[in-house]
Amino acid sequence: MPDYGHDLTFGTFITPTNAAPAKVVELAKTTEAAGLDLATFQDHPYQAGFLDTWTLLSYVAAQTERISLSANVINLPLRPPAVLARAAASLDLLSGGRFELGLGAGAFWDAIAAMGGPRRTAGESITALSEGIDIIRGLWDTSTRERLVVDGTFYQVDGAKRGPAPAHDIQIWLGALKPRMLRLIGRKADGWLPSLAYIKELSDLTASNTTIDEAAIAAGRTPGDVRRLLNIGGAFSTQRSDRLLAGPPEQWAEQLSDLTLEYGFSSYILSGDDAQAMMILGQEVAPAVRELVRAERGADETDATPAVGL
Amino acid sequence: MDYGHPLEFGAFINPDSADPAGVVDLARRAEELGLDLVTVQDHPYQPALLETWTLLSWIAGSTDRIRIAPNVLNMAIRPPAVLARAAASLDLLSGGRLELGLGAGHFWDAIAAMGTPRLSPGESVDALAEAIEMLRTIWAGDASTPLEVPGAFHTLDGAQGGPAPAHTVSLWIGALKPRMQRLIGAKADGWWPSLGRLGPGDLAAGNAVVDAAATEAGRDPREIRRLLNITGSFGPTAQGRLSGPPATWVEQLLPYALDDGVGTFVYAAPDRAHLETFATEVAPALREAVATVRDVRETEVGAVVPLAIRAKRREGIDYDTVPAALAATAVEPGHAGFAGVRNTYLRGGSPGLVLRPGDADEVAQALSFARSQPVPLAVRSAGHGISGRSTNDGGIVIDLSRLNRIEVLDAATRRVRIEPGARWGEVAQALHPYGWALSSGDFGGVGVGGLATAGGIGWLGREHGLTIDHVRAVEIVLADGRLVRADAEHHPDLFWAVRGAGANFGIVTAFEFEVDEVGDVGFAQLAFDAGNVAEFLENWGALQEAAPRDLTSFLIIGRPRGGQVVATVMATVDSDDPDTVISRLQPFATLGPLLQQAVQILPYPAIVAAPDGGQHGQGEPATRSALVDHITPELAAAASKLIHSGVSYFFQIRSVGGAVADVPPDATAYAHRSANFSVIAFGAGRTRLDAVWDTQIQPHANGLYLSFETDPRPERITDAFPPATLARLRELKGRLDPENVFRDNFSVAPAKPGLATVAG
Ligand SMILES: Cc1cc2nc3c(=O)[nH]c(=O)nc-3n(C[C@H](O)[C@H](O)[C@H](O)COP(=O)(O)OP(=O)(O)OC[C@H]3O[C@@H](n4cnc5c(N)ncnc54)[C@H](O)[C@@H]3O)c2cc1C
């Protein structure tokens, strides 16, 4: 099942360097001006050279009007899930439903521990992430008055009040490459957010999709419940090349529509902090990809609506 | 007790999660009303409230002037290390508008339900004390020094320090009990209770505890601001406490200010209209009433310098007499921003005071103050000095980074006025839209001030000459504090000296340049396997000398690795025509086996980009410089020995010549006009580098470029300046800076007075 039929969105991956905060905010505004859909920032709270991602997301949300915002991705070990859930709901309420939650299990354990955070094995970190998702979704869910109890190994809540509910169904996207995380995505998440730079062979993507799809089906969901997002990098030039995302906008459009039709990706998030490239992505590449994909999907599917998580 | 704090007024806004737009609107209104502070309570277990940090960040993004503070942050639930970075970030994003209200946490059932450990009241105070320590430690730290903070509740184990907030963020503590009040007295910047929870006499009693603890810690109780949350309503008739007409409020609040020392009143208004009345009728009237009494009582009003800042002051600097114009922007070791200004690009430093003047007059004031203090002086534009030691230990730095304007004076003659604190990357960006450029160097982070007073060996040097060759006038503050303009007609000697030895004569506050028309340029990076280094250098040198002037190339060789020597040739062709660029570069392709190549046509700013951020140099660089006319076989062989010795991790030869040599040697204080090459080596250790350089390279040198030299031995002065130049410099120095105030960069000893003088 290569193409999951999600609507296409395009965004940016902006380095949150604190040396020139105004430039970072400016790039988010450029994202909006370029007609893109989403601005994202990496989250490494142990990295003293970066702005705090949560603060930045909130500040930038106040300074923009239309784009969605997400971390790419939140460092869960340093951001306890119960407060995170309320913070996310609050940002979604303040921004009128413009927030999505990219989450990560944590990777740089020395640095996390140096900040007073926990040190977890890969397996533990995935269990913790899964527990964190349960807490976050539980706190967002005000449709029930049932007492919220998550008695996890790493996180516990016991009777914490539910709410506030976010303004829209915030999507939870997980950054991941390995099978265990992919299965967690299939079970519980709304999106898979890998980076193209870390993918060795395109064929690996097919295998990963399959893992996610099978886990989704096993959990009683459908593969379409999981959006596939991709962090991309590249260079625009006048010359076509035989490399991925190194060439003119038309070549980018062809390659991205292939990634959509053959590998199921529907969101492309561009790194590089290059305002000009952002404009080209928004003004030239995005419309062309949408056109190519629409033509391929056929008239009956042109108004494909985004799949909603369970 | 009146602590003499200037009165401030704030709003306590209820972060109702059912009405986010209304909440933000009220915060904006608070700003419009001229209030000083907007504050938000923090109860992360309470779903009826928006999460406080998110909301504060949003409010910061929706306002421009008003300061913001949590009222108060629940520290039981907020890990302090991440909070430190978040707070610094919000302060940076908002331009220094954050203050932090902190509390130890209560409502432990709700806190525990969120999965956070339950602490006893005593433990929570200890945990808060640790958190305060951690916040300040992270803010004062820098990324290169891992922090170790042991604690019973919060630890740092090798975390990076920083970032520093934009200003020194105040820590105001919400508290009612003596234990917390003692903590405030010992460590915090403010006590912030709510009136509704205080009984009669509690403020006075609390102040007494705070003050006693402060005094015991060696602090002045006036360091600690007293804030008060108040509630109440307005109506036509007085009905008890803070319920009635504004005039009654003023009457009732006055004793809190004058007798209990409250400096900040934060009002939890039930609605917008109440907030408006508070801001427009109570605040101004109360300010006035307080001022009147303070006048009569002759109360000293203003901020006192906290002990934490006083404790870090250095011997020999009379901090209290820093001129008022400079005091506001000066940075002391105890200030939040110190880590960002103490070091330079290549050096670690520990100055006692960094003065940051904003115009030439302030530069003169800074200089005169610095001269009155018995400590070292350093002058800094953008901190990329190699020879220029633009930081020091315990002395004063005059930092010109705020003088950074770039302004076109006359488009027809391409006359541009540039202040010294601008960086060359910014200059390139500013000139590019006009189709102009000014050859400076190879790196956009370098400052205008240091480079344009010494030389300026840049990417377009052979075509367009040195940077100093484009200087048409300077404005300079001399040792005696005079601001003079030097050009071909006025102070011609000084004008001559500033171009090559400027650091010896004053502080340049502006340059006027005639810049060049420059379009896009060809830029190549060619990496070669330079197996036979000597032959490679000789061939490259010959090619470069034979090349047309539009080609300027620099050659870099690192330490040999595994027997391989890689030579990178970076070449700029002043042409946007691909055929010209290729034809200029073609001959170079034959220099040796090409390992890598990249050729691009780029706008000039792209090859001198300026990075952002502070400077974190450590230690002292060890470099040597030589100017040579040709790469002779003997020099090439000697350079090969140097490279193979491994003492230099960065060896570079830059081509000069061309237009540089069109200028007569005596036209500027940069005299070595016949040199076609500038040779530089960076070494890990001075002794080892000198041992090889002195024997191998020095014998071939025909002078040096002072900007690349760090050898302190006196012979280097005569290498930098040939005898006639040096004599002229010394004579001028004797007249303009007889006491040698300016000596941090290739100090020329002033000639004894009485020698023949030339009109200057
Ligand atoms: C990475 C790097 C690349 C470089 N590349 C080049 C290059 O390509 N070509 C080249 O020619 N040089 C180059 N240099 C050398 C550079 O030009 C000098 O180090 C220069 O002094 C740096 O200027 P600054 O303003 O940044 O330095 P600062 O450290 O601020 O100042 C250095 C010294 O200059 C003097 N000074 C500074 N401002 C003034 C002023 N307004 N009035 C009078 N004196 C002043 C002071 O003596 C001070 O100690 C480079 C240096 C570095 C570190």
Side-chain angles (χ1 to χ4, degrees):
Chain A
M1 175 156 182
D3 178 9
Y4 302 91
H6 298 124
D7 64 327
L8 293 172
T9 63
F10 297 84
T12 56
F13 178 92
I14 301 168
T15 312
T17 154
N18 61 31
K23 285 192 190 167
V24 177
V25 175
E26 203 47 49
L27 284 175
K29 291 186 183 167
T30 302
T31 302
E32 184 156 277
L36 294 163
D37 308 294
L38 174 70
T40 72
F41 306 94
Q42 55 190 305
D43 182 33
H44 298 286
Y46 33 77
Q47 168 58 265
F50 286 169
L51 290 163
D52 172 66
T53 301
W54 196 268
T55 308
L56 177 63
L57 284 166
S58 308
Y59 186 90
V60 162
Q63 301 236 321
T64 51
E65 286 166 10
R66 189 187 50 74
I67 48 170
S68 292
L69 295 149
S70 173
N72 192 343
V73 292
I74 284 284
N75 184 293
L76 188 67
L78 285 171
R79 302 195 185 268
V83 177
L84 178 63
R86 298 208 211 275
S90 299
L91 186 46
D92 202 49
L93 287 166
L94 283 162
S95 65
R98 293 193 284 124
F99 180 72
E100 311 294 350
L101 185 60
L103 271 182
F108 301 99
W109 296 105
D110 284 346
I112 291 169
M115 291 281 282
R119 192 186 285 278
R120 293 174 183 151
T121 65
E124 287 169 348
S125 75
I126 296 169
T127 308
L129 180 56
S130 173
E131 293 171 9
I133 293 175
D134 293 345
I135 290 174
I136 290 166
R137 291 216 196 272
L139 283 167
W140 285 345
D141 182 7
T142 52
S143 68
T144 165
R145 303 194 57 84
E146 198 184 313
R147 183 182 164 86
L148 179 63
V149 178
V150 176
D151 189 13
T153 313
F154 302 95
Y155 298 115
Q156 302 80 27
V157 296
D158 186 3
K161 288 193 206 163
R162 296 173 188 267
H168 85 304
D169 281 325
I170 297 178
Q171 302 211 344
I172 295 183
W173 302 329
L174 306 187
L177 290 174
K178 303 258 173 67
R180 234 183 321 181
M181 276 285 275
L182 296 172
R183 288 196 293 272
L184 176 62
I185 292 170
R187 283 201 309 280
K188 294 194 178 173
D190 308 307
W192 175 40
L193 176 50
S195 295
L196 188 56
Y198 296 121
I199 287 158
K200 290 193 203 80
E201 302 282 339
L202 285 184
S203 58
D204 295 352
L205 294 171
T206 309
S208 300
N209 274 326
T210 308
T211 308
I212 295 171
D213 295 351
E214 286 171 2
I217 291 165
R221 312 173 73 201
T222 68
D225 290 345
V226 182
R227 176 181 278 276
R228 323 289 154 129
L229 307 95
L230 192 61
N231 289 320
I232 57 174
F236 290 108
S237 65
T238 44
Q239 298 287 315
R240 291 186 78 93
S241 81
D242 52 7
R243 280 170 298 143
L244 206 48
L245 306 182
E250 308 82 71
Q251 183 184 332
W252 279 59
E254 290 156 18
Q255 291 173 334
L256 293 182
S257 59
D258 283 352
L259 283 167
T260 297
L261 297 167
E262 285 170 36
Y263 301 99
F265 289 98
S266 55
S267 297
Y268 299 102
I269 302 173
L270 179 67
S271 61
D273 299 326
D274 180 348
Q276 213 185 336
M278 291 177 182
M279 290 310 274
I280 298 175
L281 183 71
Q283 308 281 294
E284 300 181 40
V285 178
V289 180
R290 288 197 172 102
E291 201 49 54
L292 288 168
V293 169
R294 178 179 303 149
E296 204 55 42
R297 282 178 178 170
D300 49 327
E301 284 182 55
T302 46
D303 48 11
T305 44
V308 175
L310 282 180
Chain B
M1 177 72 188
D2 178 357
Y3 303 93
H5 295 129
L7 279 200
E8 295 187 341
F9 296 89
F12 178 103
I13 289 182
N14 183 40
D16 183 359
S17 63
D19 182 20
V23 173
V24 176
D25 201 49
L26 199 58
R28 284 218 198 88
R29 186 69 190 131
E31 172 163 282
E32 281 166 18
L33 289 166
L35 289 171
D36 303 292
L37 194 62
V38 53
T39 76
V40 179
Q41 59 184 313
D42 181 38
H43 300 285
Y45 32 78
Q46 176 50 268
L49 307 181
L50 291 164
E51 194 274 324
T52 303
W53 197 261
T54 308
L55 176 60
L56 284 175
S57 306
W58 180 287
I59 290 174
S62 316
T63 52
D64 297 316
R65 185 197 53 76
I66 199 163
R67 284 145 65 218
I68 45 192
N71 183 354
V72 294
L73 220 49
N74 184 324
M75 290 304 286
I77 229 168
R78 307 215 170 247
V82 175
L83 175 65
R85 302 227 210 274
S89 299
L90 187 48
D91 201 49
L92 289 166
L93 282 163
S94 66
R97 294 194 282 130
L98 177 74
E99 313 293 351
L100 275 188
L102 304 177
H106 47 149
F107 305 114
W108 289 99
D109 287 345
I111 290 172
M114 295 276 284
T116 306
R118 203 183 275 275
L119 301 180
S120 74
E123 287 172 336
S124 73
V125 179
D126 293 344
L128 177 60
E130 288 184 16
I132 290 175
E133 207 56 52
M134 185 173 286
L135 290 169
R136 292 201 173 126
T137 306
I138 290 180
W139 291 337
D142 64 61
S144 52
T145 322
L147 302 174
E148 297 292 342
V149 179
F153 304 93
H154 305 298
T155 56
L156 290 182
D157 185 8
Q160 297 180 336
H167 83 303
T168 303
V169 175
S170 299
L171 303 183
W172 297 328
I173 313 294
L176 294 171
K177 304 265 174 63
R179 198 171 177 143
M180 285 279 277
Q181 287 159 348
R182 283 196 295 272
L183 173 64
I184 292 167
K187 299 205 165 173
D189 307 305
W191 176 32
W192 196 355
S194 295
L195 183 57
R197 304 190 56 194
L198 295 170
D202 283 357
L203 271 177
N207 277 332
V209 177
V210 170
D211 294 355
T215 310
E216 198 190 326
R219 306 176 72 195
D220 182 332
R222 292 177 302 166
E223 289 180 25
I224 300 158
R225 182 172 272 276
R226 322 292 154 132
L227 306 94
L228 192 63
N229 290 323
I230 54 175
T231 53
S233 60
F234 295 103
T237 50
Q239 299 175 336
R241 189 165 76 184
L242 301 183
S243 171
T248 311
W249 277 57
V250 173
E251 253 166 57
Q252 293 178 345
L253 291 178
L254 193 60
Y256 290 117
L258 294 173
D259 304 338
D260 294 316
V262 173
T264 305
F265 292 94
V266 180
Y267 177 38
D271 59 32
R272 207 177 153 100
H274 275 81
L275 190 66
E276 289 169 353
T277 307
F278 178 72
T280 56
E281 298 184 42
V282 176
L286 184 59
R287 257 198 192 107
E288 208 180 299
V290 168
T292 309
V293 178
R294 283 178 174 175
D295 271 355
V296 175
R297 292 187 184 166
E298 296 183 12
T299 311
E300 213 181 301
V301 180
V304 300
V305 180
L307 174 67
I309 292 175
R310 276 183 285 132
K312 294 197 171 155
R313 289 182 160 179
R314 301 289 295 264
E315 203 73 13
I317 300 177
D318 185 2
Y319 291 87
D320 294 332
T321 58
V322 172
L326 298 164
T329 53
V331 186
E332 298 184 23
H335 286 164
F338 186 65
V341 299
R342 62 187 297 177
N343 304 319
T344 64
Y345 186 75
L346 290 170
R347 283 188 178 80
S350 212
L353 179 65
V354 179
L355 297 174
R356 304 173 62 233
D359 58 31
D361 179 55
E362 289 181 16
V363 170
Q365 290 187 45
L367 179 61
S368 133
F369 174 76
R371 287 199 64 180
S372 70
Q373 307 294 305
V375 296
L377 166 67
V379 175
R380 180 189 301 168
S381 284
H384 279 63
I386 300 174
S387 61
R389 288 163 170 77
S390 52
T391 187
N392 54 36
D393 183 12
I396 293 173
V397 174
I398 298 180
D399 177 325
L400 304 166
S401 55
R402 291 174 62 218
L403 272 84
N404 62 355
R405 278 155 288 223
I406 302 168
E407 174 188 2
V408 174
L409 295 179
D410 179 27
T413 56
R414 298 190 301 277
R415 185 68 79 98
V416 183
R417 182 179 185 276
I418 306 180
E419 294 182 342
R423 303 180 303 158
W424 288 108
E426 293 148 9
V427 173
Q429 288 284 358
L431 300 184
H432 185 66
Y434 296 86
W436 302 340
L438 174 52
S439 182
S440 58
D442 62 354
F443 187 56
V446 169
V448 168
L451 183 138
T453 45
I457 296 181
W459 285 136
L460 303 174
R462 293 181 76 247
E463 175 86 11
H464 295 296
L466 299 175
T467 309
I468 55 169
D469 300 339
H470 294 263
V471 178
R472 296 293 172 263
V474 296
E475 296 159 28
I476 181 169
V477 173
L478 302 175
D480 62 9
R482 266 184 307 153
L483 172 66
V484 302
R485 181 185 164 91
D487 58 24
E489 276 91 49
H490 311 89
H491 305 285
D493 265 11
L494 177 59
F495 184 53
W496 167 84
V498 161
R499 292 170 295 158
N504 266 285
F505 293 92
I507 303 176
V508 176
T509 55
F511 299 84
E512 281 179 30
F513 293 103
E514 186 178 323
V515 302
D516 293 303
E517 273 173 350
V518 176
D520 287 355
V521 297
F523 186 69
Q525 285 168 282
L526 312 172
F528 298 92
D529 182 344
N532 184 337
V533 183
E535 192 183 290
F536 185 92
L537 294 176
E538 222 188 307
N539 291 341
W540 169 77
L543 276 178
Q544 176 59 76
E545 279 195 51
R549 287 184 170 193
D550 58 11
L551 179 119
T552 302
S553 76
F554 297 177
L555 179 150
I556 297 167
I557 297 179
R559 220 174 240 141
R561 269 168 220 264
Q564 196 188 35
V565 177
V566 177
T568 304
V569 173
M570 319 255 274
T572 306
V573 181
D574 185 9
S575 166
D576 58 5
D577 167 39
D579 294 337
T580 308
V581 172
I582 296 299
S583 75
R584 294 289 187 271
L585 295 171
Q586 212 91 61
F588 287 80
T590 63
L591 276 171
L594 258 178
L595 302 175
Q596 256 177 8
Q597 56 167 318
V599 183
Q600 288 167 285
I601 308 267
L602 292 170
Y604 179 73
I607 63 173
V608 282
D612 297 312
Q615 290 169 349
H616 305 290
Q618 291 297 323
E620 266 291 309
T623 69
R624 294 302 301 270
S625 157
L627 289 168
V628 300
D629 289 0
H630 309 287
I631 312 272
T632 58
E634 296 76 23
L635 171 63
S640 169
K641 283 199 187 122
L642 175 84
I643 289 158
H644 284 291
S645 75
V647 299
S648 173
Y649 60 87
F650 180 93
F651 175 84
Q652 186 186 41
I653 309 184
R654 298 168 167 232
S655 59
V656 202
V660 178
D662 293 346
V663 177
D666 61 357
T668 66
Y670 178 104
H672 302 292
R673 295 287 176 171
S674 66
N676 280 310
F677 299 96
S678 157
V679 187
I680 311 133
F682 277 73
R686 171 163 312 288
T687 327
R688 291 180 61 214
L689 178 63
D690 281 348
V692 182
W693 185 277
D694 286 348
T695 51
Q696 297 299 336
I697 308 294
Q698 191 64 37
H700 306 282
N702 178 14
L704 60 77
Y705 176 38
L706 70 86
S707 281
F708 291 143
E709 180 63 75
T710 54
D711 180 3
R713 287 173 291 181
E715 306 90 281
R716 296 295 87 83
I717 298 290
T718 47
D719 291 340
F721 307 114
T725 307
L726 186 57
R728 196 172 163 189
L729 287 172
R730 291 191 59 194
E731 187 279 326
L732 189 66
K733 180 88 174 173
R735 274 188 286 141
L736 295 182
D737 184 17
E739 290 169 34
N740 204 4
V741 172
F742 301 109
R743 57 173 181 270
D744 69 352
N745 189 4
F746 266 77
S747 176
V748 171
K752 300 276 178 307
L755 291 180
T757 52
V758 190

